[in-house]
């Protein structure tokens, strides 16, 4: 009788557990169905950048830089300030128009950078700085945040618009990065515009090379010295979010004055000078490239967002104001421009100034140079 009672209690317990299991299963299923029904519309809306009632928000934005460095009011004439402002405006409006008309962020980035490359004001394309040997050698990269595809080229001397070469490497070659003469051969094969190396030369950049090579205090200088700290770096870059929710970023530069031995900076290095990922942000860097490579600056910002849940603003601040200066005893100077997947824009720099501009979907334009924007 005692045994029978024990078996009966056991059976009852077993049945009740099974019942609870079943309840639990169905609860979870119901919960899942409930949740997916609940969030489906919102998720879809976020994906398509539309409001829940279906109205298109046309969420898009664009941000550019024209280099960071010792840019301040004391050393900038009003005429020069106007010149820079006009060119930055022209460039960003080019990209803005593409985005407004439903074009891709990749096209916006490329065409915006073309305007800056064609201007001798900046250190990219025409107006690139000189190498130790007196040449202009260009580095560039572009990244598609949707596919994580990239294209980059380094050390080219005859390709008029280096960013077009980066785009061609991404779209038309099985590789992601080409260098020197091989990259130029590919550019020719792709029908890109080729120019005589003298096209890139400007008197002001020649003078800067002389100053760096013959510093007043006779200290050996590699790229940079106190005598020319009034000259900015001048690399150009752009990050954009298009109406389709895709991010892209690109960067183009002549590198740093007096560079030698085929020196490559951060601008063509994906993760350092350029990075874009639809899950996080699109970034273009400018500054002392050696430190940006050591800090993997552009990717680090994305990684802080992805793995630590920081906002774009928090991540950019942490990398540019805190991590980067520590890498090279304070020599890690420069800045970034970036956009996140919601269209928030950031321009963070630890130098006295950075040429920069933003435009949002409403067409609001902001242009800045000095710290106090
Ligand atoms: N980052 C570039 C380089 O090191 C220079 C610049 O941003 O102006 O090549």
């Amino acid at each position: 009788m005692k045994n029978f009672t024990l078996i009966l209690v056991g059976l009852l317990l077993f049945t009740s557990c099974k019942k609870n299991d079943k309840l639990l299963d169905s609860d979870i299923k119901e919960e899942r169905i409930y949740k997916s029904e609940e969030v489906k519309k919102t998720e879809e809306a976020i994906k398509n950048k539309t409001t829940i009632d279906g109205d298109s928000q046309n969420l898009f934005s664009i941000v550019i830089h024209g280099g960071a460095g010792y840019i301040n009011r004391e050393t900038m004439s009003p005429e020069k300030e106007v010149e820079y402002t006009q060119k930055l405006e022209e460039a960003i409006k080019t990209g803005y128009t593409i985005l407004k008309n439903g074009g891709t962020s990749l096209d916006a980035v490329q065409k915006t950078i073309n305007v800056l490359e064609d201007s001798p004001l900046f250190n990219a394309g025409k107006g690139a700085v000189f190498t130790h040997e007196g040449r202009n050698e260009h580095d560039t990269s572009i990244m598609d945040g949707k596919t994580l595809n990239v294209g980059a080229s380094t050390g080219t001397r005859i390709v008029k618009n280096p960013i077009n070469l980066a785009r061609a490497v991404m779209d038309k070659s099985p590789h992601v990065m080409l260098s020197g003469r091989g990259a130029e051969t590919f550019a020719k094969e792709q029908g890109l515009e080729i120019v005589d190396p003298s096209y890139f030369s400007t008197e002001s950049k020649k003078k800067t090379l002389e100053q760096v090579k013959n510093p007043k205090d006779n200290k050996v200088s590699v790229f940079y010295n106190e005598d020319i700290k009034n000259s900015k770096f001048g690399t150009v870059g752009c990050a954009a979010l298009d109406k389709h929710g895709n991010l892209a970023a690109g960067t183009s530069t002549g590198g740093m004055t007096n560079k030698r031995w085929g020196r490559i900076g951060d601008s063509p290095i994906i993760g350092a000078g350029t990075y874009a990922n639809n899950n996080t942000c699109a970034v273009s860097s400018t500054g002392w490239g050696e430190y940006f490579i050591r800090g993997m600056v552009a990717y680090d910002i994305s990684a802080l967002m992805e793995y630590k849940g920081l906002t774009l603003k928090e991540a950019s601040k942490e990398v540019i104001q805190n991590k980067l200066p520590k890498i090279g005893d304070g020599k890690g100077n420069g800045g970034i421009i970036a956009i996140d997947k919601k269209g928030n824009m950031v321009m963070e720099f630890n130098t006295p100034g950075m040429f920069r501009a933003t435009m949002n979907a409403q067409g609001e334009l902001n242009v800045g140079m000095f710290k106090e924007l």
Side-chain angles (χ1 to χ4, degrees):
M1 184 64 188
K2 204 177 164 190
N3 280 351
F4 178 73
T5 315
L6 275 175
I7 289 166
L8 199 69
V9 170
L11 262 171
L12 277 171
L13 274 174
F14 178 75
T15 331
S16 113
C17 280
K18 273 307 229 189
K19 205 178 156 200
N20 277 341
D21 277 358
K22 266 189 201 146
L23 270 176
L24 216 64
D25 273 355
S26 63
D27 278 353
I28 287 170
K29 250 182 231 149
E30 262 172 26
E31 171 96 330
R32 274 187 199 138
I33 290 163
Y34 169 74
K35 268 191 186 166
S36 69
E37 286 300 328
E38 179 75 357
V39 297
K40 214 173 145 189
K41 236 181 147 188
T42 317
E43 276 177 350
E44 210 38 46
I46 291 169
K47 222 168 75 198
N48 301 324
K49 295 288 184 294
T50 57
T51 54
I52 295 171
D53 62 13
D55 286 341
S56 171
Q57 280 184 342
N58 284 341
L59 194 64
F60 65 94
S61 48
I62 181 163
V63 56
I64 61 172
H65 71 76
Y70 292 85
I71 304 157
N72 51 46
R73 284 203 191 278
E74 293 75 57
T75 54
M76 169 90 56
S77 71
E79 293 77 24
K80 270 272 168 256
E81 195 176 328
V82 170
E83 248 188 282
Y84 276 107
T85 305
Q86 284 175 347
K87 197 44 82 174
L88 289 166
E89 264 193 55
E90 182 193 335
I92 200 160
K93 282 181 177 167
T94 304
Y96 173 83
T97 308
I98 292 170
L99 297 172
K100 193 172 162 39
N101 293 335
T104 65
S105 49
L106 276 171
D107 284 345
V109 164
Q110 184 184 349
K111 301 290 179 207
T112 300
I113 289 179
N114 284 164
V115 175
L116 299 168
E117 285 177 333
D118 291 344
S119 164
L121 290 172
F122 303 97
N123 169 22
K126 186 164 182 65
V129 297
F130 281 87
T131 66
H132 184 76
E133 295 79 15
R135 286 195 283 259
N136 306 109
E137 293 180 350
H138 310 267
D139 297 338
T140 180
S141 63
I142 195 163
M143 182 159 185
D144 180 359
K146 184 183 174 191
T147 59
L148 303 188
N149 202 357
V150 301
S153 70
T154 68
T156 58
R157 298 175 190 158
I158 55 169
V159 181
K160 180 171 175 272
N161 290 102
I163 194 76
N164 295 355
L165 174 52
R167 181 78 190 267
V169 171
M170 179 171 86
D171 291 345
K172 312 259 175 63
S173 89
H175 307 301
V176 297
M177 190 181 225
L178 301 179
S179 72
R181 309 300 77 80
E184 290 169 351
T185 304
F186 175 72
K188 285 179 194 162
E189 283 173 15
Q190 292 302 316
L192 300 185
E193 194 171 348
I194 302 299
V195 290
D196 187 83
S198 61
Y199 161 80
F200 300 106
S201 170
T202 55
E203 277 314 305
S204 71
K205 303 290 167 39
K206 239 184 217 163
K207 212 167 123 201
T208 308
L209 176 66
E210 275 152 33
Q211 284 173 329
V212 179
K213 277 175 129 178
N214 307 297
K216 282 191 203 120
D217 60 6
N218 273 336
K219 269 192 222 142
V220 180
S221 92
V222 182
F223 304 118
Y224 170 87
N225 69 63
E226 286 295 304
D227 295 338
I228 59 145
K229 77 176 189 180
N230 285 339
S231 78
K232 69 272 160 220
F233 292 103
T235 291
V236 306
C238 178
L241 170 70
D242 64 29
K243 285 183 177 179
H244 320 287
N246 293 322
L247 289 164
T251 311
S252 183
T253 189
M256 291 182 84
T257 301
N258 206 26
K259 64 182 182 179
R260 21 187 349 189
W261 308 298
R263 180 262 188 191
I264 305 296
D266 59 314
S267 307
I269 308 292
I270 294 299
T274 301
Y275 191 73
N277 184 333
N278 273 6
N279 292 323
T280 53
C281 60
V283 185
S284 170
S285 312
T286 177
W288 197 328
E290 276 67 10
Y291 300 100
F292 277 70
I293 293 174
R294 288 166 64 181
M296 266 292 127
V297 164
Y299 178 72
D300 200 18
I301 292 170
S302 169
L304 283 172
M305 292 175 73
E306 187 172 358
Y307 302 121
K308 268 194 146 182
L310 267 58
T311 64
L312 178 63
K313 205 170 169 50
E314 290 165 344
S316 305
K317 206 166 180 176
E318 170 64 12
V319 172
I320 297 299
Q321 309 298 352
N322 190 23
K323 295 178 85 174
L324 185 61
K326 284 185 191 143
I327 295 172
D329 291 334
K331 289 198 205 103
N333 53 25
I336 58 99
I337 49 108
I339 298 194
D340 69 15
K341 59 183 175 182
K342 291 181 191 138
N344 297 310
M345 292 179 277
V346 160
M347 298 171 288
E348 191 73 42
F349 52 98
N350 61 27
T351 46
M354 181 166 81
F355 293 112
R356 60 200 187 276
T358 61
M359 267 186 107
N360 62 17
Q362 288 73 46
E364 288 162 353
L365 168 73
N366 265 304
V367 180
M369 290 173 207
F370 315 113
K371 203 131 220 167
E372 68 281 356
L373 179 70

